[in-house]
Amino acid sequence: MTIRYDGRVAIVTGAGQGLGRSHAIELAKRGAKVVVNDLGGSKDGTGSSSDAALAVVAEIEAAGGEAMANGANVADYAQVEAMVAATMEKWGRVDILVNNAGILRDKSFIKGSMEDFELVLNVHLMGTVYCTRACWEIMKEQEYGRVVVTTSSSGLYGNFGQTNYGSAKMGVIGLMNTLVLEGAKYNIRVNALAPTAGTRMTDGLMPEKMFELLTPETVTPAVLYLVSEDGPNRTILCAGAGSYAVSKIVESEGLWLTPEEQTPEGIAAHWGVISAAEGGRALQAGFEQSGKMLTQAAAGLGISLE
């Protein structure tokens, strides 16, 4: 089986360098028409330049592919809407959206400014919201869409000095979880990439030998799979240095406590069972948690919910 994207149109944000550049080039190699979006700022989000995006477009075209550059700031909804409108005018559809654009303003929680915190949230979380919203109605009408949000181990597990970044990166998981439900009947699939790569965002944060293994090119196959026609849905796919794994949010089976034990002391007394990993499962919607707890309560009280 060969995965290709002939006839598909893809928008890749932050595609002028690093991961985004790799994603855009490989999508184009496999037949997609690609919008190479990049504001062209520094890694802290300052400045702008079209040079990087234009260079990627030139590289794609030199290899026989089709691409167009776009300098929209993903944190500005009007600019994002204009980017999507230009894409529709040129190619008439949007099939794939890879939300990759990002910046860093790393500082410990107490030392970082609220302005920096808000800026990081705006780029990573609201930028993902804006780009997805601008493409969503188009994908619904086509009854086809593949969306990738970019999360991070910093959000999934935490990383010192990245409260702003980690908050945004968990925010896109919440966005994904609900978009999956809303897009299901329109054949829109939404997944998350959790990459580990040696890019300008991570340069200087690890030994050189490690940095050399963590190439963007080892992450991109994960994106190519997630946006394929038969790709998964609601999956957090982790990728780095040629290794791939799936991260899951799992809820323990838990335990219903009698009214007398519904106290903090009761929870403490039964903590081993309440927190036990055995029997845990990944729920598919918020109502499943309510259903599970109501079922346990009804069984414990000996009543019917019907």
Side-chain angles (χ1 to χ4, degrees):
M1 177 188 72
T2 300
I3 293 176
R4 291 193 57 82
Y5 312 96
D6 300 295
R8 301 295 185 195
V9 175
I11 296 174
V12 182
T13 68
Q17 300 185 59
L19 286 167
R21 171 186 172 276
S22 178
H23 302 339
I25 288 172
E26 292 305 316
L27 281 164
K29 281 182 181 179
R30 291 172 178 260
K33 300 176 178 67
V34 182
V35 177
V36 179
N37 162 261
D38 204 284
L39 178 63
S42 62
K43 71 178 182 179
D44 68 358
T46 57
S48 63
S49 170
S50 60
D51 292 349
L54 290 170
V56 176
V57 169
E59 190 171 351
I60 288 171
E61 291 178 341
E66 293 185 60
M68 61 182 284
N70 183 277
N73 178 353
V74 297
D76 184 321
Y77 189 46
Q79 292 187 35
V80 170
E81 285 188 305
M83 172 179 68
V84 173
T87 305
M88 291 296 290
E89 182 178 356
K90 185 174 181 66
W91 288 318
R93 59 188 299 119
V94 178
D95 302 284
I96 295 166
L97 170 64
V98 180
N99 290 292
N100 170 77
I103 64 170
L104 290 177
R105 294 286 178 95
D106 291 356
K107 282 187 178 179
S108 64
F109 185 54
I110 198 64
K111 292 182 179 179
S113 71
M114 289 297 94
E115 291 76 15
D116 280 354
F117 203 109
E118 186 174 359
L119 178 61
V120 172
L121 285 178
N122 283 341
V123 173
H124 288 275
L125 178 55
M126 294 311 300
T128 298
V129 171
Y130 290 159
C131 291
T132 305
R133 176 64 181 268
C135 296
W136 195 256
E137 193 63 36
I138 295 166
M139 292 178 172
K140 281 179 63 177
E141 291 178 2
Q142 294 171 170
E143 295 193 350
Y144 187 91
R146 299 292 182 266
V147 178
V148 168
V149 304
T150 301
T151 185
S152 171
S153 57
S154 297
L156 295 171
Y157 312 116
N159 199 29
F160 190 93
Q162 291 194 315
T163 51
N164 49 23
Y165 181 75
S167 297
K169 289 309 189 182
M170 275 307 284
V172 300
I173 297 300
L175 176 68
M176 174 191 75
N177 286 338
T178 294
L179 287 180
V180 163
L181 303 177
E182 295 186 8
K185 70 177 181 178
Y186 303 105
N187 190 24
I188 302 174
R189 300 182 187 180
V190 187
N191 294 285
L193 173 74
T196 300
T199 68
R200 67 174 182 162
M201 299 273 276
T202 56
D203 192 12
L205 299 180
M206 62 187 71
E208 186 65 26
K209 284 187 177 181
M210 294 183 184
F211 191 86
E212 291 173 355
L213 286 173
L214 294 169
T215 65
E217 289 75 18
T218 62
V219 172
T220 292
V223 172
L224 298 183
Y225 174 63
L226 292 176
V227 301
S228 64
E229 186 167 348
D230 297 321
N233 205 9
R234 196 180 188 162
T235 297
I236 303 171
L237 184 54
C238 311
S243 291
Y244 308 92
V246 170
S247 178
K248 294 184 179 182
I249 299 172
V250 177
E251 183 169 315
S252 70
E253 180 59 24
L255 177 70
W256 180 80
L257 301 179
T258 64
E260 296 77 21
E261 291 185 300
Q262 291 172 19
T263 63
E265 293 81 8
I267 293 173
H270 296 282
W271 185 248
V273 176
I274 291 170
S275 62
E278 185 178 352
R281 53 196 166 108
L283 305 182
Q284 298 305 304
F287 67 82
E288 289 189 11
Q289 183 191 69
S290 300
K292 181 189 72 171
M293 292 185 169
L294 285 168
T295 299
Q296 290 176 348
L301 293 167
I303 62 174
S304 173
L305 295 174
E306 296 180 356

